[in-house]
Amino acid sequence: MYQTSSSAGKPLLRVSARSYNVGVSGDKRSIAVSPAGASDANRALRSIPSVNELVESPAVAKAGVGIPRSLVVDTARMVIEEYRAEVLRGSSGNEREIDELVRRVVERLEEASKPRLRATINATGIIIHTGLGRAPLAREAVAALAEAAANYAPVELDMPTGERGHRSFILRDLLCSITGAESATVVNNNAAALLITLTTLARGREVIVSRGELIEIGGSFRLPEVMAQSGAVLREVGTTNKTRLSDYEKAFGENTAAILTVHPSNYRVLGFTEAPEVSELSKLAKQRSVPLVHDIGSGVLYDMRAYGLRDEPDAKSSIAAGADLVLFSGDKLLGGPQAGIIVGRKALVSQIEKHPLMRALRLDKLTLSALAATLQLHRDPHTAAERVPVLRMLNIPVEQLVHRAEGLAKEIGRIEGVAAVEVSREESYVGGGSLPTQAIASAGVRIRARDMDEAELARRLRMGSPPVLPRVREGWVILDLRTVFAKQDDLVVSAVRAAVRAQ
Ligand SMILES: *Cc1c(COP(=O)(O)O)cnc(C)c1O
């Protein structure tokens, strides 16, 4: 359970801070090169090894196994050029150059072979961070994914009959039993779910949407534009803050194909507002024989108020209130892999599954396996709250985070190059367009370095190994611990140590 914090930013503990030491280092470029210096430079230039010497050296040859020779040669050439420039500036030029250049080439080749998506420590406090790939998966989902990845897996085969089937059959029973829907299918993400739903049900016809729900999410998802792509015609009703049932009623015409209601995930209209309930819209849709589509966004499957999720619509309640189709993401509050989920009436779902776009939007075996494993955890809300990382992080008691922050601050305070470190009260957010106004009381450490400003410290943390993504505010680099796994605490300390080291 979490509470809203009102004391964000206040230090709880101060750890003895080192005093600033603003040293001004000499600018090497301004040092005049004396005649003696010039001949030194010439000698250094002449002794730079050739590209070939570097490429043929045993260490480079070893690091280059499995890398195209042309790339190794290019790397060696680049390292030599950079070195030559350093020599001319007077900042390099010692004995044993070949060793130094070999070391640099090997380092670059190793860097180039590291995984491109490296495990990154999220110290932003944003639980569903779209820039960091949203939800980290539960252990169970990772295991299922690894097994499917390394093997053949029957994504489109009904094994008892040996017949070919639709891929969503793997998940359908789980989704139906959890949400109470008649049927379900899955696509690549929620934007795709909305696109295929609208194009299947309403191409060339009108879809009624409240003006208060014409959302933009993450810059590239703008409801009117997705609608335009689907071929459905947007019929706006009401105003930004108030839309009544009568507004929907008046908008009906011969060409009306559906009513769409969208959860305004990443913003709230506060004050004098009005919008009909899903149950009222459903009644109207039934009277006029059109489907009601509800895009709930975040993927809360059932009422999770007991687990800290208030103010979010859930799929089960929406189905119970009469929505014909409910759409949501797999990688937001559901805590699974990127996916778009469609649950609802059987006839509508099977119409969507038969649409030719389905082939372009379908899921692969990796996502299917991870999503199925995540849904298996959701069969029991208590198990989900314990095992699904997104839900677990949401519910860590703030005292636990303060305790960890105190330990970290002590360690970080001992690091040479750290000017100040404090335990601080922070405010985390769910992120990913969910619960934009609900701050979650959190705790972290904030740091100032002796020899660099906060932007440079943050940059070095991002570029470190493992990379750490912090928040930056008012001269501090902040590490919010709600999104840092406890087992990563030691890595955070060493990341700070490496980052503040003079270079
Ligand atoms: C996040 C969101 C989307 C887009 O979902 P993706 O899975 O990111 O494609 C669509 N609608 C709503 C209401 C959302 O919150």
Side-chain angles (χ1 to χ4, degrees):
M1 206 61 39
Y2 56 77
Q3 329 92 14
T4 303
S5 143
S6 57
S7 57
K10 287 199 192 122
L12 290 183
L13 174 80
R14 260 170 217 278
V15 173
S16 62
R18 286 165 207 284
S19 61
Y20 278 99
N21 172 12
V22 188
V24 180
S25 60
D27 181 358
K28 290 183 174 123
R29 278 163 299 186
S30 67
I31 296 171
V33 179
S34 67
S39 74
D40 279 354
N42 281 337
R43 203 175 318 124
L45 283 177
R46 273 198 306 275
S47 64
I48 291 178
S50 70
V51 172
N52 219 35
E53 276 174 275
L54 282 186
V55 172
E56 301 300 331
S57 80
V60 171
K62 183 159 168 257
V65 172
I67 300 177
R69 188 180 158 83
S70 60
L71 197 73
V72 179
V73 170
D74 285 349
T75 306
R77 188 169 290 134
M78 211 185 309
V79 164
I80 288 173
E81 266 164 33
E82 286 168 13
Y83 188 74
R84 192 185 301 276
E86 286 170 25
V87 170
L88 288 173
R89 280 204 308 271
S91 57
S92 277
N94 50 14
E95 305 300 304
R96 310 215 45 77
E97 288 166 321
I98 176 112
D99 292 350
E100 169 62 12
L101 295 190
V102 163
R103 191 190 63 76
R104 291 187 194 182
V105 175
V106 167
E107 194 177 88
R108 299 241 179 136
L109 292 176
E110 282 171 355
E111 190 62 35
S113 295
K114 279 189 185 153
R116 290 298 161 102
L117 279 179
R118 298 180 56 199
T120 297
I121 296 178
N122 175 8
T124 63
I126 310 227
I127 297 174
I128 304 169
H129 196 299
T130 300
L132 291 177
R134 292 196 182 159
L137 296 178
R139 199 175 301 186
E140 289 81 354
V142 173
L145 183 151
E147 183 167 328
N151 293 284
Y152 294 106
V155 285
E156 282 182 7
L157 274 185
D158 180 36
M159 296 303 261
T161 61
E163 306 266 312
R164 192 124 181 220
H166 192 275
R167 320 195 144 203
S168 59
F169 80 89
I170 299 159
L171 305 163
R172 192 170 286 147
D173 61 325
L174 279 165
L175 285 165
C176 291
S177 70
I178 294 170
T179 64
E182 277 173 25
S183 187
T185 194
V186 282
V187 289
N188 187 50
N189 56 21
N190 194 23
L194 191 61
L195 180 71
I196 195 169
T197 298
L198 292 174
T199 204
T200 304
L201 305 182
R203 187 172 189 84
R205 300 175 62 203
E206 286 184 0
V207 175
I208 305 174
V209 188
S210 162
R211 289 204 169 85
E213 298 176 352
L214 295 174
I215 59 167
E216 170 180 310
I217 291 171
S220 53
F221 180 92
R222 306 185 95 187
L223 190 73
E225 288 164 17
V226 174
M227 264 193 136
Q229 286 302 317
S230 76
V233 179
L234 173 62
R235 179 69 201 260
E236 298 176 34
V237 295
T239 62
T240 306
N241 59 329
K242 289 199 179 192
T243 304
R244 303 188 176 84
L245 195 63
S246 58
D247 293 321
Y248 286 90
E249 278 172 345
K250 276 183 259 168
F252 264 91
E254 280 185 0
N255 211 18
T256 306
I259 298 177
L260 171 66
T261 177
V262 182
H263 177 53
S265 308
N266 54 1
Y267 71 98
R268 290 289 179 270
V269 178
L270 303 173
F272 291 98
T273 65
E274 191 173 330
E277 299 286 331
V278 172
S279 57
E280 296 173 88
L281 288 176
S282 157
K283 218 175 281 166
L284 175 62
K286 266 190 197 71
Q287 274 169 17
R288 308 294 179 106
S289 308
V290 300
L292 170 64
V293 178
H294 190 188
D295 175 3
I296 62 168
S298 294
V300 179
L301 290 165
Y302 39 79
D303 187 338
M304 290 204 81
R305 275 178 288 193
Y307 300 93
L309 289 175
R310 281 163 274 134
D311 296 340
E312 277 291 326
D314 70 87
K316 188 173 184 177
S317 305
S318 179
I319 291 287
D324 296 292
L325 289 175
V326 179
L327 320 180
F328 48 95
S329 302
D331 51 351
K332 291 184 180 172
L333 287 167
L334 197 153
Q338 180 189 306
I341 300 166
I342 303 171
V343 300
R345 300 246 173 258
K346 197 169 174 182
L348 298 176
V349 169
S350 77
Q351 219 180 317
I352 290 168
E353 285 188 337
K354 290 193 190 100
H355 193 281
L357 248 190
M358 194 70 189
R359 172 65 191 245
L361 304 178
R362 74 182 184 189
L363 292 183
D364 72 319
K365 64 176 179 173
L366 306 185
T367 306
L368 282 168
S369 60
L371 186 55
T374 309
L375 290 170
Q376 282 168 325
L377 296 175
H378 275 289
R379 286 177 301 189
D380 172 40
H382 192 67
T383 305
E386 276 182 358
R387 304 282 178 90
V388 175
V390 163
L391 299 176
R392 201 169 52 216
M393 284 188 267
L394 195 63
N395 285 296
I396 304 171
V398 68
E399 309 79 60
Q400 213 168 304
L401 300 177
V402 169
H403 182 72
R404 277 172 55 202
E406 286 168 355
L408 276 180
K410 279 199 193 95
E411 299 268 332
I412 292 171
R414 291 195 194 105
I415 297 172
E416 173 76 30
V418 169
V421 55
E422 292 174 355
V423 171
S424 64
R425 287 282 193 170
E426 298 299 331
E427 285 184 342
S428 306
Y429 284 88
V430 171
S434 311
L435 301 168
T437 54
Q438 266 187 44
I440 309 163
S442 187
V445 288
R446 52 188 194 178
I447 305 168
R448 274 192 233 271
R450 191 185 57 201
D451 301 327
M452 66 196 86
D453 65 9
E454 68 276 20
E456 173 62 11
L457 178 56
R459 190 191 66 83
R460 290 190 184 190
L461 285 168
R462 288 197 306 274
M463 300 302 292
S465 182
V468 177
L469 192 66
R471 268 210 306 263
V472 174
R473 195 182 57 218
E474 291 162 7
W476 295 94
V477 161
I478 299 163
L479 305 169
D480 185 324
L481 294 182
R482 184 166 293 281
T483 48
V484 176
F485 307 143
K487 64 176 182 207
Q488 295 173 329
D489 283 358
D490 290 344
L491 290 172
V492 167
V493 175
S494 28
V496 172
R497 187 175 295 121
V500 297
R501 195 174 295 149
Q503 282 182 343

